[in-house]
Amino acid sequence: MSGGLKVEGRPEDIIEAGVRLSERLEKTPALGFLKSILNLTMRANSLDEDAANVRRHYNVSTEFYKLWLDKRLVYSCAYFHDGNEDIDLAQEYKLDHICRKLLLQADEKLLDVGCGWGALLHWAAERYGALGFGITLSERQFEEAQGRLAHLGNRTGIALQHYKELTDNASFDKIVSVGMYEHVGSSALPAYFRKMAALLKPGGMFLNHGIIATGGSKSGPSGGAFIERYVFPGGSVSSLSRIVQEIADAGLEVIDIEDLRPHYARTLMHWSEGLEQHKESAIEAAGAETYRIWRVYLAGMAYAFDRGWLSIAQVLALKPKDGRPSQRAWTRAHQYVS
């Protein structure tokens, strides 16, 4: 991080060399990326701690993120149709895939928990006529999103707010959480999903999109201290079975699960390559140390997803209505047919 050790070459080759070296040097099997890339300790962060952790990750520099993200600033797993799309198109595919999966309709109220720079809110309002509201704890995301959403008028809104501060009034038809639950903390998951259920109208849909720990795969080398200290403080991931159980325990009916592991490996490689291409501008925007941190982080995460040490899943759930399970689509055709 200080620049005392200089390593030249493609980031993916550097990570591969580091992994092989680490595996040979460690005397006991490592817990692996599935537990170490994001700390899996049973933590429950306070509102102030959550806000500080989010700002640490997302307030680096909006100009820095603009160098290697897509034009809409979508900082989450893209969705590819054949794997050859550029990052801009793949992220548009992802935004549309989420809206289709939610069966989003005109004038429905959509809550985006952890809305980032507002890309999903913008897409949902402009393409589907939804009434979107998003929350974030990052001042820089909030400011950028306000500008990007301004022309949509009162069809969208955004607040610098913690999800715990939202009023339980079952006021949203659809709720989406993309790359957000990882910030919550493992021990706080039951309360988090209960909060989502309380905010959802009977018959409404909730989609949770997030990184999951995998089982049965060979674990990679330990690296949690680096991630916790330099990149993603306070984060945690859980197994898919834990996520499904917690959503069900919150009173929602899980109706669809989709694993997107290859999509995130490809997304991260796009980001890593973009950062490499804009090295000098990245250093100018965020500093040499931040550039070196993200260079390792993005390539390392791409490697972890490619090797199956981590995965990512979209879990879709319905809220019962009138004491009975809510109606659902008979097939998944709506997700793919124009």
Side-chain angles (χ1 to χ4, degrees), residues 190-204:
Y192 174 69
F193 288 121
R194 286 197 302 269
K195 183 71 172 181
M196 297 301 104
L199 292 167
L200 195 61
K201 292 180 180 179

Side-chain angles (χ1 to χ4, degrees), residues 20 38 68 73 193 215 249 261 278 286 292 307 310:
R20 289 175 181 267
L38 298 176
W68 47 273
L73 294 184
F193 288 121
D249 287 348
R261 183 190 60 76
H278 297 93
R292 289 191 290 264
R307 291 285 292 268
L310 289 170

Side-chain angles (χ1 to χ4, degrees), residues 91-101 123 128:
Q91 289 293 12
E92 289 183 354
Y93 283 160
K94 190 273 291 297
L95 297 176
D96 206 58
H97 190 60
I98 288 175
C99 291
R100 285 174 178 268
K101 189 173 284 193
W123 189 272
Y128 288 83

Side-chain angles (χ1 to χ4, degrees), residues 61-316:
S61 165
T62 301
E63 297 307 313
F64 174 75
Y65 284 108
K66 286 180 179 179
L67 294 171
W68 47 273
L69 291 179
D70 65 298
K71 62 185 179 183
R72 296 177 181 274
L73 294 184
V74 183
Y75 190 27
S76 54
C77 176
Y79 186 76
F80 297 85
H81 289 186
D82 60 25
N84 296 315
E85 298 90 347
D86 64 28
I87 192 63
D88 289 325
L89 182 57
Q91 289 293 12
E92 289 183 354
Y93 283 160
K94 190 273 291 297
L95 297 176
D96 206 58
H97 190 60
I98 288 175
C99 291
R100 285 174 178 268
K101 189 173 284 193
L102 286 168
L103 289 168
L104 195 60
Q105 304 295 316
D107 295 327
E108 284 190 328
K109 295 178 67 177
L110 171 70
L111 171 65
D112 187 355
V113 184
C115 64
W117 291 277
L120 181 57
L121 292 172
H122 190 284
W123 189 272
E126 192 170 67
R127 303 299 178 99
Y128 288 83
L131 302 174
F133 179 72
I135 57 173
T136 179
L137 293 176
S138 166
E139 292 91 344
R140 294 193 178 182
Q141 285 187 335
F142 174 72
E143 292 166 1
E144 179 74 21
Q146 278 189 313
R148 288 172 175 254
L149 298 172
H151 70 283
L152 294 170
N154 60 7
R155 298 206 69 82
T156 61
I158 185 170
L160 195 62
Q161 190 174 19
H162 198 287
Y163 73 89
K164 293 178 181 178
E165 298 172 319
L166 293 171
T167 304
D168 292 354
N169 56 2
S171 60
F172 294 97
D173 300 288
K174 309 287 168 65
I175 299 177
V176 63
S177 170
V178 181
M180 162 60 194
Y181 104 91
E182 298 94 329
H183 292 282
V184 171
S186 183
S187 64
L189 286 181
Y192 174 69
F193 288 121
R194 286 197 302 269
K195 183 71 172 181
M196 297 301 104
L199 292 167
L200 195 61
K201 292 180 180 179
M205 285 186 176
F206 167 63
L207 186 146
N208 189 79
H209 169 122
I211 297 171
I212 55 172
T214 56
S217 302
K218 180 183 177 182
S219 297
S222 178
F226 167 77
I227 299 296
E228 174 70 19
R229 180 175 179 181
Y230 292 107
V231 185
F232 211 128
S236 68
V237 297
S238 297
S239 66
L240 177 59
S241 59
R242 169 89 191 279
I243 297 301
V244 171
Q245 186 65 57
E246 296 294 357
I247 292 175
D249 287 348
L252 303 178
E253 180 186 11
V254 174
I255 63 171
D256 191 271
I257 299 171
E258 184 175 13
D259 183 276
L260 299 174
R261 183 190 60 76
H263 296 262
Y264 213 2
R266 182 60 58 89
T267 301
L268 285 153
M269 283 310 303
H270 273 289
W271 292 344
S272 179
E273 291 165 2
L275 181 62
E276 291 295 295
Q277 293 168 7
H278 297 93
K279 174 182 177 180
E280 298 305 322
S281 296
I283 292 173
E284 182 179 352
E289 182 174 295
T290 296
Y291 166 75
R292 289 191 290 264
I293 290 171
W294 253 255
R295 189 182 189 218
V296 173
Y297 172 63
L298 294 176
M301 289 289 281
Y303 191 92
F305 279 92
D306 186 61
R307 291 285 292 268
W309 297 339
L310 289 170
S311 192
I312 189 162
Q314 290 184 349
V315 180
L316 183 67

